[in-house]
Amino acid sequence: MLLLGTQRINEQGHLEIGGCDAVELARQFGTPLYVLDEATFRQNMRDYRRAFDKRYPRNEIAYAGKALLCMAVARIVAQEGYDLDVASAGELYTALKAGFPPEKVVFHGNNKSLFELHMAVQHGVGRIVVDNLLELEMLERVAAEAGKQVSILIRVTPGIDPHTHRFIRTGQADTKFGLNIRNGYALEGVRRALALPHLRVKGIHCHVGSQLLDTEAQERAVKIMVDFMHTLRKQLNYIVEELNIGGGLGIRYIESHQPPTFEEYAERIVGVLTQQLERRNLPYPTLLQEPGRALVGEAGVTLYTIGAIKQVPIHQPPGTRTYVAVDGGMSDNPRPQLYDAVYTALVANKANQPADTVVTIAGKHCETDILIRNVAIAQPEPGDILAVPSTGAYNYAMSSNYNRFPRPAMVLVNAGHAEVIVERETLDDLLAHDRIPERLRSEQPVMERA
Ligand code: LLP
């Protein structure tokens, strides 16, 4: 059984998260329900930072808001003294409305709009990570109009293929992100940026991929980035002040996942970084990072109510498959379908009973939305509460209204208290943006006049 963070089995034999009985949470707030464990999220932020602080004091960490962002989350991130990585006007707006300090925001995107650049410059966003040459020109104009100097990082592509799902690799040579180091575009980008009067080039950025379960790709990226720092000094006489290596550290979705601990990760990354800097005789830059999943992923649990259960004969291998349907599915968690993501589950109201029944968990959408294949849980019955751990990152963030499902609520649990931080969408919320043109209101089609 995968019990993460503050999760435990209480005296009733129920799953408990943040001191709250999961069955009680489901009863009080309804299902599907996203539960965010505040203590685990905060502890992860502190542990991650401590692991780096003690090995490389010149470092700064941004939480990657794309993993999970709402105003309450932005407040927690602010209280923990983290920076915040945003990737759209919507994420930036959420941060600003939550009172997140704009100077601690890092703004990302491979195709930022003029609107987004204006918004970022107007609000005094701390760093803009420039992805391409068009953006460089646009941003120079926006900054000039605003009469401001804007601090930027140049996103570069180290040309590395990490071992992770192809949809979440970003640092390989064949990618839409950043400027390629190998073909000289990255060097050209920095050269041009240095000539622009309203941009202050603070350094370079890369991100190789997500859900990385070893440090190998990230170590290679660090080495390539330091080599590039060396090139920049040699070719342009430019010294990188800030080196941003993105995020990417993986988490435990199932028991067999064994990502490096924060300590192991920091040891390896800082080891390679300092070794390479010494080798190139380069001054130590500020190390910036942007972990998302590693901080918030294991802090999230989704609760569902079990409905229909079906036994279906199968031929390979011969036997029966038990389909257990829950009251959510791909609208609250599209990851199994998008990335073949794996999860485990437990019956929250039978957490102390043996997990001896192998079932397939299905969603309730009008297609085959399997959430989990062949998972062993306690004997399920309609009305049981199913808990799916490690759903803190990229679940609510990627949720949709497919089949016009209202999005679930999210509650923040801590020391036995639960507070709603995202309200459950109502059926009327689904209609809030619908409009019926007048001519469609009559019973018959209104014929167009010639
Ligand atoms: N920085 C940049 C520039 C990124 O593109 C990403 C993730 C991160 C930081 C944070 O990565 P993390 O530490 O969370 O791995 N929707 C996918 C994940 C996409 C990640 C995209 N970029 C999923 O559900 O697995």
Side-chain angles (χ1 to χ4, degrees), residues 79-330:
Q79 287 180 343
E80 291 299 321
Y82 263 60
D83 295 352
L84 179 67
D85 148 2
V86 300
S88 68
E91 289 181 1
L92 176 57
Y93 191 68
T94 306
L96 295 173
K97 282 285 179 181
F100 195 90
E103 68 278 8
K104 288 172 76 76
V105 171
V106 185
F107 195 75
H108 273 286
N110 71 302
N111 190 23
K112 301 180 193 76
S113 67
L114 207 49
F115 172 79
E116 287 174 321
L117 293 176
H118 271 294
M119 187 173 171
V121 170
Q122 255 163 23
H123 289 280
V125 157
R127 300 275 177 281
I128 297 182
V129 182
V130 176
D131 178 272
N132 56 68
L133 301 180
L134 172 68
E135 186 186 338
L136 210 51
E137 285 168 27
M138 283 164 69
L139 185 58
E140 167 62 23
R141 253 184 291 129
V142 170
E145 278 166 28
K148 290 192 180 180
Q149 276 259 319
V150 176
S151 293
I152 64 163
L153 300 175
I154 303 287
R155 178 157 185 169
V156 304
T157 320
I160 285 174
D161 252 327
H163 305 156
T164 189
H165 192 277
R166 66 193 169 92
F167 288 177
I168 53 179
R169 286 177 216 156
T170 48
Q172 69 276 27
D174 182 1
T175 177
K176 69 170 188 173
F177 292 105
L179 294 165
N180 199 299
I181 294 182
R182 280 194 219 151
N183 67 7
Y185 279 32
L187 180 65
E188 178 60 15
V190 177
R191 195 183 62 74
R192 287 199 203 177
L194 287 170
L196 295 172
H198 296 89
L199 305 186
R200 282 193 56 204
V201 188
K202 302 289 282 184
I204 51 177
H205 172 283
C206 73
H207 172 78
V208 300
S210 203
Q211 182 57 8
L212 306 176
L213 291 174
D214 60 56
T215 56
E216 191 253 353
Q218 197 64 297
E219 287 182 52
R220 276 195 290 146
V222 168
K223 188 170 177 305
I224 291 170
M225 293 300 272
V226 176
D227 286 346
F228 185 54
M229 286 168 64
H230 171 72
T231 306
L232 290 174
R233 181 176 61 182
K234 218 172 56 186
Q235 303 278 330
L236 306 176
N237 202 21
Y238 170 69
I239 305 281
V240 166
E241 284 171 60
E242 296 179 354
L243 171 64
N244 191 326
I245 59 167
L249 180 59
I251 61 166
R252 289 164 288 184
Y253 284 99
I254 54 175
E255 272 156 346
S256 62
H257 285 164
Q258 294 205 326
T261 63
F262 296 162
E263 291 289 327
E264 288 164 352
Y265 183 70
E267 185 67 24
R268 301 296 291 260
I269 298 306
V270 172
V272 177
L273 175 61
T274 50
Q275 186 193 17
Q276 295 301 317
L277 289 168
E278 295 295 337
R279 185 170 82 90
R280 295 296 197 178
N281 196 22
L282 281 160
Y284 283 25
T286 300
L287 174 66
L288 306 181
Q289 293 180 82
E290 302 162 342
R293 190 190 319 261
L295 303 178
V296 78
E298 293 182 5
V301 173
T302 307
L303 302 178
Y304 302 96
T305 302
I306 290 176
I309 300 175
K310 277 180 200 163
Q311 313 276 349
V312 177
I314 53 169
H315 305 295
Q316 278 292 343
T320 52
R321 191 185 312 289
T322 304
Y323 281 96
V324 172
V326 293
D327 55 353
M330 64 182 287

Side-chain angles (χ1 to χ4, degrees), residues 320-324 355-360 373-377 380:
T320 52
R321 191 185 312 289
T322 304
Y323 281 96
V324 172
D356 56 6
T357 315
V358 175
V359 302
T360 289
R373 282 178 204 283
N374 301 328
V375 60
I377 60 172

